[in-house]
Amino acid sequence: MDSKRRVRTSRFLSLVLRHDPARAGITLDPQGWADIRALLDGCRSAGHRVTHAELVEIVRTNDKQRFALNADGTRVRARQGHFVPVDLALEPTAPPELLHHGTVGRFLPAITTEGLRSMSRHDVHLSADEATARRVGARRGAPVVLVVAAGRMHADGYAFRVTDNGVWLVPEVPPEYLGAPVSRA
Ligand code: HQG
């Protein structure tokens, strides 16, 4: 599969598995899993022909490891980033003392007042390393990285979860847990 087709197909799979399963005429189970046969049939009907081998290749090579197969390889789901309600069944996990969130300057006035909100996704996405947060912020402009006092939040009773590819999830970050923004390019 050439890289253009891989990107196009992986975007469509993200749309179906995180946002709009009906686009491929399928439903997700409560943990977000899609039956692969139904998914591939649905993709074909929606005009995106994807073979089983291509799906497996995308799961394996996706730059952000966005997708996962179940143990017997019959189902696939997105690892994070859902807009539709799913329960990823991740255990609450103690986070490192500090986590990072990448954003852009134009959102800072709102973030400073109301904290980080999950917006249209389930959770606020955080990363252990600053470089990842910077890349996430850079999708929207000159990146600004916020440091989150995750250890203190955890001690105060907030539940953190971590996906198996290292994205930290928390429903919200109130402003008192945010450090001063780092906007160094
Ligand atoms: C901002 C991508 C105003 C927040 C990425 C962000 C990541 C606020 C945007 C993953 C706010 C939401 C997640 C508030 C937060 N007022 N703006 N109170 N609170 N925001 O895309 O973190 O390619 O839902 O800073 O690489 O940017 O989809 O979240 O700018 O890993 O796999 O509102 O999505 O991965 O945007 O990105 P998003 P995100 P994928």
Side-chain angles (χ1 to χ4, degrees), residues 126-150:
L126 303 170
S127 62
D129 66 301
E130 186 184 328
T132 299
R134 195 164 292 287
R135 273 196 300 278
V136 171
R139 284 152 56 237
R140 298 195 161 85
V144 172
V145 172
L146 295 167
V147 177
V148 174

Side-chain angles (χ1 to χ4, degrees), residues 18 64 66 101-103 107 110-111 114-119 121 125 136 139-140:
R18 306 206 292 202
K64 286 195 194 161
R66 286 183 180 86
H101 177 82
T103 188
F107 295 155
I111 291 174
E114 58 191 32
L116 288 170
R117 295 174 32 218
S118 61
M119 311 309 275
R121 302 192 199 241
H125 286 216
V136 171
R139 284 152 56 237
R140 298 195 161 85

Side-chain angles (χ1 to χ4, degrees), residues 93 95 150 152-160 170-174 176-177:
T93 305
R152 195 152 55 80
M153 279 182 77
H154 181 66
D156 291 345
Y158 287 88
F160 286 77
V170 70
E172 58 164 333
V173 179
E176 59 268 32
Y177 300 103

